[in-house]
Amino acid sequence: MSDKFDVIFIGAGPAGYVGAIRAAQLGLKTACVDAFTGKDGKQALGGTCLNVGCIPSKALLDSSRQYWNIAHNLPVHGISVEGAKVDMATFIGRKDKIVKQFTGGIGQLFKANKVTPYFGTGKLLKGNEVEITAPDGGKQTISATNVILASGSVPIELPFAKFDGKMIVDNAGALDFAEVPKRLGVIGAGVIGLELGSVWKRMGAEVTILEALPDFLSVADADVAKVAKKEFEKQGLAIKLGAKLTKAEVKKNEVHLTYEDKDGAHELVVDKLLVAVGRRAYTAGLLADDTGVKLDERGRIVVDEHCHTGVDGVWAIGDAVRGPMLAHKGSEEGVAVAEWIAGKAGHVNFDTIPWVIYTEPEIAWAGKTEKQLKDEGVPYRVGTFPFAAIGRAVAMNEAVGQVKMLAHAETDRILGVHMVGPGVSELIAECVVAMEFKGSSEDLARIVHAHPTLSEAVHEAALSVDKRAIHKGN
Ligand code: FAD
Ligand code: NAD
């Protein structure tokens, strides 16, 4: 028996589920197939992001921040708390509850929008049919005019430090430790290493991060990376750069690491090891041999600028294709594809996708870094403003970091904004709006910003591009 749809999404992560809802809103008969199984053994919609990514990591970041503040920030305010304790079951249980609330919420949204969910692994067959293998092995085939592949990504495994789910873990394992590890090793000072390393450092672990590259956070603007590294080290994160792991051996309840840096080989013993060296597109079992869908040299599904695979009616979006592995990037691609299929004008502007790292201080940026502009020979002016001169940040005792704005030297169009400091995950949105509307630093400089707010740092950085910041020397 073959159920026929207008569109089938394979994968219900932020790319697939958002695209499916938009397709259904546009009147398309829509199905969404997903295989993710939650802790309760039932289907858990939302993919990596809701189950083991964005949402649970932010839940633990927030809980750990509250705990850290007791000892490290409250005394400055004249508040002391004696004998603070953490109940790990509540700490992890709160995160699980939030995950369940949001994954369950997608089920309700599917119902409200008449998206038909299927639980199982979907395989694209020739002719836009999708074979679904349920968790019990049962098979059925559905078909559609359009199939959108949104199968996401999985963590990269190092051959000499294989995940065992207990001692050597990926993001999912590091979001579920039953106890705070005394010593946590982290491989990779990328986004996951820094966010989850911060969680467990705040909870009391001794955290050592080994990063293979000689530069810290080289995807970010160099000034931002410099401030962030200094602050993380002040918090006690041990960050070793140019450090290549060569061996990881589990011995009893410890993981014995060997790594090499410019000074030679070193040993490090930890109680848990988080390997966070990047993610790769996941396409295992997704494609029958004769579909014609191509993968690139990194295993990503090949698509054009409209997320089309080149095979009639087959599209791909999210982490499984080129571009940054970010939830909001995938969601916007999902929406755009649904709109293209419905004959509307979909749109994703890759030049203004915001990046946020939810550490303390937070890091956020959009657009080009100063290095990229230099390399491309683009003439630019720079404006900066430190949070140390922002009244609200000082009142919060979080006056760390700065906003840096890069604008074209001739047109003044904003080309990039780079921030490290309090609340910058929210402040970046204003800059993205300005950039999307092709705004200039002068535009932001002329907009009234409420006082006293953190957003005044954006205003002053914009003024500083033209050397007329008010609350610092220019
Ligand atoms: P996924 O979310 O990976 O979803 C793919 C889904 O498809 C999964 O449910 C999978 O089970 C299913 N699937 C795969 N193959 C099949 C198949 N053949 N049949 C059926 N189902 C299948 N991004 C941010 O923007 N902000 C953050 O704060 C953030 N934090 C993160 C924290 C962590 C720890 C991690 C690991 C990632 C984080 N990310 C964050 C990245 C974000 O999670 C991903 O970019 C996003 O989930 C990608 O969405 P997606 O829909 O493409 O894929
Ligand atoms: P990443 O690419 O951010 O960082 C991986 C780091 O590991 C890099 O610095 C890399 O140089 C280093 N590395 C690679 N191989 C190594 C090795 N053998 N030894 C030591 N270091 C090594 O990857 P990630 O942290 O695993 O996260 C994956 C992706 O998930 C991110 O790129 C991002 O797209 C997404 N994510 C986003 C957020 C967010 O938006 N806040 C949070 C978490 C994850």
Side-chain angles (χ1 to χ4, degrees):
M1 171 74 174
S2 167
D3 282 319
K4 175 90 182 146
F5 291 88
D6 295 321
V7 275
I8 299 169
F9 285 80
I10 302 183
Y17 90 74
V18 171
I21 289 172
R22 183 68 189 125
Q25 282 175 351
L26 289 163
L28 299 166
K29 188 181 174 199
T30 305
C32 188
V33 184
D34 195 279
F36 205 103
T37 306
K39 277 189 171 179
D40 58 4
K42 295 190 181 138
Q43 182 172 34
L45 300 166
T48 303
C49 177
L50 270 70
N51 285 288
V52 290
C54 325
I55 297 300
S57 60
K58 269 76 239 175
L60 294 192
L61 275 159
D62 202 71
S63 294
S64 62
R65 181 184 141 105
Q66 310 279 3
Y67 184 57
W68 174 265
N69 280 346
I70 291 171
H72 297 272
N73 285 338
L74 293 191
V76 180
H77 297 269
I79 303 165
S80 58
V81 178
E82 301 291 319
K85 277 192 299 218
V86 176
D87 176 61
M88 281 303 285
T90 308
F91 178 75
I92 295 294
R94 188 188 88 97
K95 179 261 302 176
D96 288 342
K97 231 191 237 168
I98 292 169
V99 167
K100 205 154 174 39
Q101 178 188 336
F102 279 83
T103 55
I106 296 175
Q108 285 162 17
L109 288 171
F110 275 3
K111 219 180 240 167
N113 286 283
K114 301 194 173 54
V115 174
T116 308
Y118 286 88
F119 187 16
T121 302
K123 180 190 232 177
L124 177 71
L125 310 177
K126 202 174 172 183
N128 298 356
E129 293 203 319
V130 174
E131 179 190 80
I132 302 167
T133 306
D136 65 5
K139 286 191 194 293
Q140 65 177 316
T141 300
I142 60 176
S143 66
T145 316
N146 289 281
V147 178
I148 295 99
L149 309 171
S151 52
S153 64
V154 287
I156 293 173
E157 192 170 54
L158 293 174
F160 43 86
K162 287 200 177 286
F163 299 122
D164 62 17
K166 209 173 141 236
M167 305 292 288
I168 303 179
V169 299
D170 60 8
N171 53 293
L175 287 164
D176 244 353
F177 290 145
E179 298 295 334
V180 178
K182 253 203 171 91
R183 298 160 299 180
L184 172 67
V186 179
I187 310 301
V191 195
I192 293 178
L194 292 172
E195 288 188 356
L196 295 184
S198 293
V199 165
W200 295 108
K201 173 70 223 169
R202 294 170 190 172
M203 298 304 288
E206 203 178 284
V207 179
T208 306
I209 306 182
L210 305 182
E211 165 60 47
L213 292 179
D215 295 323
F216 178 67
L217 211 56
S218 52
V219 286
D221 192 84
D223 289 341
V224 163
K226 196 169 151 199
V227 173
K229 181 162 182 284
K230 197 168 139 209
E231 290 303 317
F232 298 154
E233 286 177 339
K234 259 200 229 161
Q235 290 160 17
L237 284 175
I239 302 168
K240 299 190 185 299
L241 299 177
K244 291 191 180 77
L245 183 72
T246 52
K247 202 160 112 188
E249 261 187 306
V250 176
K251 291 184 188 168
K252 290 197 183 149
N253 287 328
E254 293 177 330
V255 190
H256 290 241
L257 310 180
T258 309
Y259 67 93
E260 283 172 14
D261 63 15
K262 60 180 178 11
D263 301 321
H266 307 267
E267 307 279 317
L268 178 70
V269 180
V270 295
D271 302 298
K272 300 274 183 196
L273 181 67
L274 161 62
V275 178
V277 295
R279 298 177 64 84
R280 62 175 174 79
Y282 181 69
T283 56
L286 179 69
L287 304 165
D289 293 340
D290 56 355
T291 60
V293 174
K294 291 192 181 66
L295 304 183
D296 68 13
E297 69 294 344
R298 288 166 63 181
R300 300 173 302 190
I301 300 168
V302 175
V303 289
D304 64 14
E305 69 278 18
H306 287 101
C307 299
H308 196 259
T309 63
V311 175
D312 200 23
V314 182
W315 315 68
I317 55 176
D319 279 13
V321 303
R322 76 320 176 231
M325 289 184 165
L326 296 173
H328 39 285
K329 174 263 191 184
S331 297
E332 292 307 320
E333 285 180 333
V335 168
V337 167
E339 292 183 347
W340 286 319
I341 289 171
K344 297 195 174 298
H347 167 77
V348 184
N349 184 355
F350 275 76
D351 294 335
T352 57
I353 292 175
W355 274 84
V356 176
I357 306 180
Y358 298 82
T359 44
E360 186 105 337
E362 292 182 339
I363 296 168
W365 72 88
K368 306 265 183 178
T369 63
E370 194 167 353
K371 182 174 182 310
Q372 283 170 327
L373 293 179
K374 270 192 188 134
D375 291 349
E376 291 168 18
V378 178
Y380 62 90
R381 293 194 296 168
V382 186
T384 59
F385 198 81
F387 282 103
I390 293 293
R392 184 73 188 280
V394 174
M396 290 160 67
N397 192 41
E398 292 185 37
V400 161
Q402 64 162 9
V403 173
K404 171 173 171 180
M405 193 172 291
L406 302 164
H408 196 284
E410 286 141 25
T411 64
D412 193 37
R413 182 168 168 184
I414 301 167
L415 302 173
V417 185
H418 304 271
M419 308 176 174
V420 52
V424 299
S425 55
E426 302 294 341
L427 297 187
I428 196 67
E430 170 184 5
C431 302
V432 171
V433 171
M435 290 167 74
E436 188 66 40
F437 289 144
K438 301 184 171 47
S440 62
S441 77
E442 184 68 22
D443 288 329
L444 285 184
R446 283 177 182 270
I447 289 171
V448 182
H449 288 70
H451 176 74
T453 61
L454 298 174
S455 73
E456 287 173 294
V458 176
H459 188 217
E460 289 272 16
L463 287 162
S464 156
V465 170
D466 195 40
K467 303 214 176 314
R468 55 181 221 265
I470 301 294
H471 295 94
K472 72 163 199 172
N474 287 287

